[in-house]
């Protein structure tokens, strides 16, 4: 890498990162503010306090994204439940216009489908909101990569004619670039580090890959609906399971160690969030959904037992008994008029 020219400030990427400057500025303020807080608590100005500021930044980003993620998951699961109910009606409408390719039939099909959605308060596009957290985190990661990559240039006075970036002036940047963690400087990458540094960076990259692999594997095994399982889907899932971790290896070795700290922390948070999502909002028809139904059933029985109420099984037996008695009673009442008629004769 050219030590005097910051390449991310040139060409298309330079134009894009200038548009993202407000996010970059906010990131530097969060990191510097938390660093000052850690120093106030007694930590050294140069060292682990800067690494903790990176970890804190990840937590702040995850906390900001989580409400959007929670809302999108609720919306997607609600949409999936509605689609499961509407599927037979949609099938009947489609069969009604099957083989009819004239404009009037196509328009009538769309009109009836839209009316079905409106009558049932369903929005087929609501599932797209599940992608919003990823669209938010993408630019955030780009800004983090840009900011942490720019700091060594700021420290040498080679960034934008000697200017700084947000809370990072030359003095603050020199403090940051003097930080060593596990014997690795935060500004080094795999190609510039010594043997010890290469080992540590390799471990971080391996942990990043493992977190992503485990997240994909857990989702594939526990959160995939049985009805959606086919050879094509299974092949795609396996490609994602191995392809993305392998891509991490090639991209991770080029990243400064500070970016790897951010990336690993972010992957750990994403893994924990994925485990929580599969536990709370499983895909309908998946093994995780079946496990959730059993848990909910057990929790409801425990609540009823605590309140002195009959269990769900007992309630079902009582309902079945009442239905049988009502059926028997209705059958007896229907037989009475025929007996009276026979007596009159």
């Amino acid at each position: 890498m050219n030590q005097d020219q910051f390449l991310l400030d040139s060409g298309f990427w330079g134009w894009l990162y200038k548009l993202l400057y407000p996010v970059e500025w906010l990131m530097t303020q969060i990191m510097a503010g938390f660093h000052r807080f850690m120093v106030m608590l007694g930590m050294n100005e140069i060292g682990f306090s800067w690494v903790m500021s990176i970890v804190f930044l990840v937590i702040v980003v995850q906390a900001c994204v989580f409400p959007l993620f929670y809302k999108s998951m609720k919306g997607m699961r609600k949409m999936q439940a509605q689609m499961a109910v509407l599927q037979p009606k949609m099938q009947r409408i489609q069969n009604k216009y099957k083989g009819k390719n004239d404009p009037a039939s196509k328009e009538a099909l769309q009109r009836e489908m839209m009316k079905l959605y409106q009558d049932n308060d369903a929005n087929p596009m609501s599932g797209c909101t599940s992608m919003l957290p990823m669209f938010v985190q993408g630019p955030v990661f780009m800004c983090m990569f840009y900011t942490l990559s720019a700091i060594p240039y700021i420290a040498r006075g080679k960034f934008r004619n000697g200017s700084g970036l947000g809370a990072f002036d030359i003095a603050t940047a020199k403090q940051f670039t003097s930080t060593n963690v596990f014997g690795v400087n935060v500004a080094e990458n795999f190609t510039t580090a010594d043997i010890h540094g290469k080992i540590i960076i390799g471990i971080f990259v391996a942990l990043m890959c493992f977190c992503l692999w485990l997240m994909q594997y857990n989702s594939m095994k526990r959160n995939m609906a049985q009805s959606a399982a086919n050879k094509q889907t299974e092949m795609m899932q396996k490609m994602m399971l191995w392809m993305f971790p392998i891509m991490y290896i090639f991209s991770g070795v080029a990243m400064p160690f500070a970016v790897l700290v951010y990336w690993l922390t972010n992957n750990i948070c994403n893994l924990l969030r994925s485990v929580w999502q599969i536990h709370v909002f499983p895909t309908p028809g998946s093994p995780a959904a079946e496990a959730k139904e059993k848990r909910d059933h057990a929790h409801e029985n425990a609540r009823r037992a605590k309140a002195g109420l009959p269990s769900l099984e007992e309630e079902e037996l009582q309902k079945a008994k009442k239905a049988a008695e009502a059926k028997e009673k209705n059958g007896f009442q229907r037989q009475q008029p025929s007996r009276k008629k026979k007596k009159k004769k």
Side-chain angles (χ1 to χ4, degrees):
M1 184 180 287
N2 192 329
Q3 297 296 309
D4 295 325
Q5 183 184 2
F6 187 47
L7 298 178
L8 291 179
D9 260 352
S10 59
F12 168 77
W13 294 111
W15 172 80
L16 180 61
Y17 283 121
K18 283 177 183 176
L19 288 179
L20 295 173
Y21 176 78
V23 181
E24 296 157 8
W25 180 90
L26 181 61
M27 281 184 164
T28 62
Q29 297 297 334
I30 293 172
M31 287 176 61
F34 189 74
H35 175 259
R36 287 193 294 269
F37 176 72
M38 298 300 290
V39 171
M40 186 179 68
L41 293 179
M43 293 187 73
N44 199 311
E45 285 187 346
I46 299 173
F48 206 67
S49 55
W50 279 116
V51 175
M52 291 300 297
S53 70
I54 296 173
V55 174
F56 179 74
L57 178 62
V58 177
I59 295 171
V60 169
V61 172
Q62 289 283 344
C64 292
V65 171
F66 185 79
L68 181 63
F69 175 81
Y70 182 79
K71 185 178 179 181
S72 68
M73 286 308 305
K74 283 188 70 176
M76 186 168 70
R77 293 296 177 254
K78 180 183 176 183
M79 182 271 294
Q80 288 176 336
Q82 287 175 328
M83 288 297 121
V85 174
L86 295 179
Q87 195 65 38
K89 297 179 181 179
M90 291 168 62
Q91 191 67 42
R92 282 197 294 271
I93 295 173
Q94 289 169 350
N95 290 337
K96 180 180 176 182
Y97 295 97
K98 188 176 181 180
K100 298 179 180 179
N101 297 320
D102 57 288
S105 297
K106 290 181 179 179
E107 184 180 347
L109 172 63
Q110 292 177 357
R111 185 170 59 250
E112 289 192 32
M113 293 291 279
M114 289 303 298
K115 187 176 185 305
L116 180 65
Y117 291 141
Q118 290 171 359
D119 291 346
N120 291 273
D121 193 27
N123 181 10
M125 298 301 293
S126 61
C128 297
T129 57
S130 62
M131 303 296 290
L132 287 176
M134 186 180 69
F135 288 134
V136 172
Q137 285 184 295
V140 168
F141 178 78
M142 290 175 60
C143 291
M144 192 67 196
F145 174 62
Y146 177 88
T147 301
L148 295 176
S149 298
I151 291 174
Y153 291 88
I154 297 172
R156 295 195 301 270
K158 301 295 183 181
F159 180 79
R160 297 179 184 176
N161 298 321
S163 62
L165 177 62
F168 279 84
D169 54 16
I170 292 177
T172 307
K174 284 183 177 179
Q175 252 189 24
F176 183 89
T177 54
S178 300
T179 296
N180 289 285
V181 185
F182 308 119
V184 186
N185 187 275
V186 292
E188 289 183 325
N189 58 33
F190 187 83
T191 57
T192 60
D194 57 16
I195 297 298
H196 173 79
K198 282 179 168 58
I199 293 171
I200 297 299
I201 290 173
I203 292 171
F204 267 67
V205 173
L207 289 173
M208 286 162 44
C209 293
F210 177 73
C211 285
L212 181 61
W213 180 88
L214 185 59
M215 184 170 67
Q216 295 282 355
Y217 179 81
N218 189 45
S219 179
M220 184 176 71
K221 289 295 182 182
R222 299 194 64 242
N223 202 38
M224 186 174 173
Q226 301 297 329
S227 58
N230 54 59
K231 288 185 178 180
Q232 186 177 359
T233 306
E234 193 173 327
M235 187 178 295
M236 189 176 297
Q237 290 283 344
K238 286 182 179 178
M239 283 179 62
M240 291 175 63
L241 182 65
W242 296 105
M243 185 174 65
F244 286 115
I246 291 172
M247 288 172 60
Y248 267 30
I249 295 173
F250 294 102
S251 56
V253 295
M255 303 286 184
F257 186 61
V259 177
L260 297 184
V261 173
Y262 175 88
W263 207 344
L264 176 59
T265 309
N266 194 60
N267 279 12
I268 292 171
C269 291
N270 287 339
L271 174 61
L272 294 175
R273 189 178 68 184
S274 175
V275 171
W276 173 85
Q277 173 212 324
I278 293 172
H279 184 79
V280 179
F281 293 113
T283 302
S286 66
E290 293 175 5
K292 186 176 185 300
E293 287 179 7
K294 292 178 181 177
R295 287 197 310 272
D296 292 344
H297 188 88
H299 290 161
E300 177 62 17
N301 278 343
R303 184 193 69 80
R304 286 166 173 260
K306 191 175 181 180
L309 299 172
S311 67
L312 290 169
E313 290 80 6
E314 291 171 343
E315 189 176 273
E316 286 296 322
L317 286 173
Q318 290 175 2
K319 287 180 180 178
K321 187 177 179 181
K322 286 180 181 179
E325 289 174 353
K327 186 177 179 181
E328 185 179 350
K329 184 178 180 181
N330 290 336
F332 178 76
Q333 289 176 347
R334 281 195 298 270
Q335 289 175 0
Q336 292 303 310
S338 61
R339 290 179 180 176
K340 288 179 180 178
K341 288 178 181 178
K342 287 180 180 179
K343 287 180 180 179
K344 287 180 180 179
K345 289 180 181 180

